[in-house]
Structure formats: C-alpha cells, structure tokens
Amino acid sequence: MLSKRAYNFNAGPAALPLTVLERAQAEFVEFRESGMSIMEMSHRGAIYESVHNEAQERLLSLLGNPQGYKVLFIQGGASTQFAMVPMNFISAGQVGSYVMTGSWADKALKEAKLAGGGHVAASSEDKKFLAIPELGSIKAADNAAYLHVTSNETIEGTQYAEYPDAGSIPLIADMSSDILSRSFDINKFGLIYAGAQKNLGPSGVTVVIAKEELISSSPANIPTILRYDTHYKNNSLYNTPPSFSVYMVNEVLKWIEEQGGLAGTEAKNRDKAGLLYDYIDGSDGFYRGVAEEGSRSIMNVTFRMQSEELEKQFIKASEAEGFVGLKGHRSVGGLRASIYNAVPHESVKALADFMKHFQQTQG
C-alpha cells in the first residue's frame, strides 16, 4: 500500500506525476505483452522504436508541430550540452555569445571558452544575478555563431518573461528547468536542450529540439558521439539510448496533454507560483522574495527570512511535517521551493499554510 506522498519540492531530480508513476508501475515487469520489461528490450526492436518515435512526435505536437525541427535523445545532461553546443557550432574566428544570468549560464560560458570562444552578450552580475538583463541590453558579438540564454536559473530563482531576438544567428536555450512549463514560440529558437529530470521525466536522458539545418552536418574533427549529426542521422539510436527514461518522457508528455497542453500547464504553474509569491509579499517582511519581481521564476521560488538561524528552524520544522527539498542551493543559502509541472497544487497550498503557521508561531 502506498504510504503518504511527500510534499516534494526538490530542485531535481524532481517530482513526477503520480499517475505516470502508477502507469509505469503497471507496465514495469511486462510491456505490451512482450514477456519483457521495456528496459530488457533491444533498442533496435520494433516495440522500443515505436515508443522512441512516439515520444519525439508527441513533444513536437505539444510545441505546435513546427516544421523543420527534429527531437534528439542524448545522454550526459545539460552539462554535456554545454560542451556540444560550442564544439558543433563555433567555427574558426567565431565565438558563442552568452547572456550571463547566474550559475548555470556561467557553466555554459566556461565550456564555450574551452571549446573555441565565449563572449558575454549581457550580464546581471551587478544585480547579483537576481534579475534577467533587459532585452535591449543584449548584444551578440559581431562574430557570434549563436546567442545562448539560460531560460530559468534554478539557484537564483529567475526566469525570462520574454526571449531576446537573435536576429540572423541561431538563438540557443538551456530550458532544463522550465521546458513545457508555459507556452512559447519555438520558431524563435535554433536549438533548445533540457535535462529531463525537472519537467520531462527521470534523469538519464537529455532532450534536444533543433532546426534540422543546424544539426544535419557537424565538424568532422570532434568525437563522433559529440556530433549532433551523429544523433540526427541515426534517430538518436547510434548508441544504446536510456530506454526507460525515454519511455517515462513519453508518459509524462501524455500527462501534459491530459492537463490541456502547454496552456493548461502554464495556467496551473502561474497559479501555484502566485500562491507562494502572494504570501511571501504579504508577510510583512517575515519572508522576503530573492529575485526581482519582473524576473521571478514560476518554477523555483527563492526566498529568505530574517536570519539564517530562523531559516534552519524553518527547514527542520518543515521536514517534520513531510516537506522535502526546501533548503536553498548550497552556493547561495536561503530557501527554495521548486514547483515544477508535476508538483500538485495541493502541495503548494500545504506549503503556504505551513509558512503561515510558522510565521504565527515564530513571528
């Protein structure tokens, strides 16, 4: 029998929809009357390939079936994409232009510097990365191969409200922590990548959505497995894919369809985020939002209290009540509630109620 579900606010790996977990449980030992789990099957077999292709098609469908785009399933997380992007796209005499918005943008930029050249197109470091730079301040280098943005910074709790126009160069985005959390126009982007373990499924697979013209040919002097065209030409089956993770992504995508697609998930996410931000802003300073208001993330709500000691008391008391993952990232401290797609409204309401009770008893 299922024990009481935790109030899971982990930053990643993160909450998965209960209905998806239950479906996976029912199919775990035997998938489609094959006598095998999907984890035991050949990735060259018809059953697995049907799931693989279905997940690709379903993802593009949720994005409006854009023409000329291909979905890839790659391993290594966003960290590998930090390196693959510059290795595949920066030619001699070029740089990658990056908007510096925090910890994850910084990691991406460092890989570009190793792989050929990184340029800072704009930065919010002067605001301690607690805001997204004004779009008008973002200037790609004249010799930029692309403009790179980090859509949502999980540590600082900031998110682009709108995306910049990259002009004639490709706009590339790390959407690991907010992909499919809201509606957006994919046609603005040359390439998007996202580790699955926040909004798409379990860890183990990274989704890349790219214009085919960008990934159909890669430099011949980089390792085969790090070339986008290797994965493109082999339908992401060049090497053994993380088959169970891809299966889970497909199930999560089905669940998103059941929520009303991106419009449905966006409405739910904005409602959840509003519940927390409204309470934080109305707490007379007992709780204090970290990110600037116009840059606040609807995925990662970061906040502080009047002292670190009080924050420690909050964490201890919250854990005793079944709340998980509310401690801020070790690099910045404070508190953070990660409220990805699969975190139910009931969990967020329970957190708001707990915050109110804690204030009443400690304030």
Side-chain angles (χ1 to χ4, degrees):
M1 177 179 283
L2 180 69
S3 60
K4 184 176 182 289
R5 294 275 289 169
Y7 296 123
N8 186 354
F9 294 95
N10 278 326
L16 285 162
L18 179 57
T19 55
V20 169
L21 293 173
E22 290 172 339
R23 288 177 196 166
Q25 181 183 44
E27 295 182 324
F28 188 77
V29 175
E30 182 176 30
F31 186 63
R32 295 184 184 173
E33 300 180 340
S34 65
M36 295 179 287
S37 168
I38 195 167
M39 291 188 293
E40 301 174 289
M41 294 177 180
S42 168
H43 62 292
R44 307 291 182 194
I47 295 179
Y48 174 73
E49 282 206 52
S50 70
V51 173
H52 187 95
N53 294 336
E54 188 179 304
Q56 293 171 325
E57 292 162 8
R58 182 166 273 116
L59 180 51
L60 289 176
S61 174
L62 283 164
L63 294 171
N65 287 313
Q67 296 302 302
Y69 282 81
K70 176 68 175 176
V71 173
L72 307 178
F73 296 129
I74 303 179
Q75 297 173 66
S79 296
T80 296
Q81 294 306 303
F82 295 162
M84 281 183 70
V85 166
M87 289 172 75
N88 279 265
F89 299 133
I90 296 178
S91 300
Q94 291 184 311
V95 296
S97 281
Y98 287 72
V99 183
M100 279 296 299
T101 48
S103 304
W104 295 110
D106 182 54
K107 289 188 175 185
L109 175 63
K110 285 176 178 174
E111 292 299 309
K113 288 179 178 178
L114 290 174
H119 162 262
V120 177
S123 175
S124 56
E125 187 173 9
D126 60 329
K127 296 185 176 182
K128 298 181 179 179
F129 298 124
L130 299 180
I132 298 295
E134 295 287 334
L135 296 189
S137 72
I138 299 172
K139 305 294 183 187
D142 291 340
N143 61 335
Y146 56 82
L147 175 65
H148 181 284
V149 297
T150 305
S151 181
N152 182 80
E153 289 279 2
T154 59
I155 293 175
E156 292 80 10
T158 60
Q159 184 179 35
Y160 283 80
E162 296 179 40
Y163 295 107
D165 182 353
S168 61
I169 62 172
L171 178 61
I172 294 178
D174 174 1
M175 289 194 181
S176 293
S177 51
D178 67 347
I179 191 168
L180 303 191
S181 67
R182 55 182 178 170
S183 300
F184 70 97
D185 181 7
I186 191 174
N187 293 291
K188 291 189 70 170
F189 296 89
L191 184 146
I192 291 166
Y193 60 89
Q197 65 271 16
K198 301 175 191 296
N199 264 347
L200 289 176
S203 59
V205 64
T206 304
V207 170
V208 173
I209 311 161
K211 287 184 176 178
E212 294 181 79
E213 64 196 49
L214 284 180
I215 58 172
S216 59
S217 179
S218 298
N221 63 337
I222 61 177
T224 305
I225 198 67
L226 297 177
R227 295 169 54 157
Y228 284 119
D229 67 354
T230 298
H231 302 281
Y232 172 73
K233 291 171 183 175
N234 291 278
N235 194 30
S236 302
L237 295 168
Y238 173 77
N239 63 325
T240 306
S243 54
F244 187 73
S245 294
V246 173
Y247 157 80
M248 287 293 288
V249 166
N250 192 38
E251 293 302 315
V252 171
L253 296 176
K254 290 179 188 176
W255 177 81
I256 291 173
E257 288 175 340
E258 292 160 3
Q259 307 309 302
L262 298 197
T265 56
E266 179 170 6
K268 291 179 174 68
N269 288 330
R270 293 199 181 279
D271 184 49
K272 291 185 299 184
L275 189 63
L276 290 183
Y277 286 125
D278 286 349
Y279 187 74
I280 290 167
D281 293 342
S283 68
D284 294 325
F286 187 79
Y287 301 103
R288 174 177 53 83
V290 173
E292 289 190 10
E293 193 163 339
S295 298
R296 284 175 165 178
S297 170
I298 62 170
M299 294 281 94
N300 308 97
V301 178
T302 51
F303 57 104
R304 300 299 303 251
M305 299 177 73
Q306 294 157 336
S307 69
E308 290 188 12
E309 183 58 38
L310 195 58
E311 291 171 355
K312 290 177 182 177
Q313 293 177 31
F314 179 92
I315 292 295
K316 186 175 180 179
S318 70
E319 288 174 347
E321 294 298 320
F323 293 91
V324 177
L326 291 173
K327 185 182 293 187
H329 191 272
R330 61 187 177 277
S331 65
V332 296
L335 303 159
R336 171 176 60 178
S338 296
I339 52 173
Y340 303 120
N341 286 354
V343 176
H345 184 275
E346 293 76 19
S347 292
V348 180
K349 176 65 165 60
L351 175 56
D353 290 343
F354 172 79
M355 292 169 68
K356 181 178 181 180
H357 177 73
F358 188 82
Q359 181 177 2
Q360 289 172 341
T361 57
Q362 300 292 328

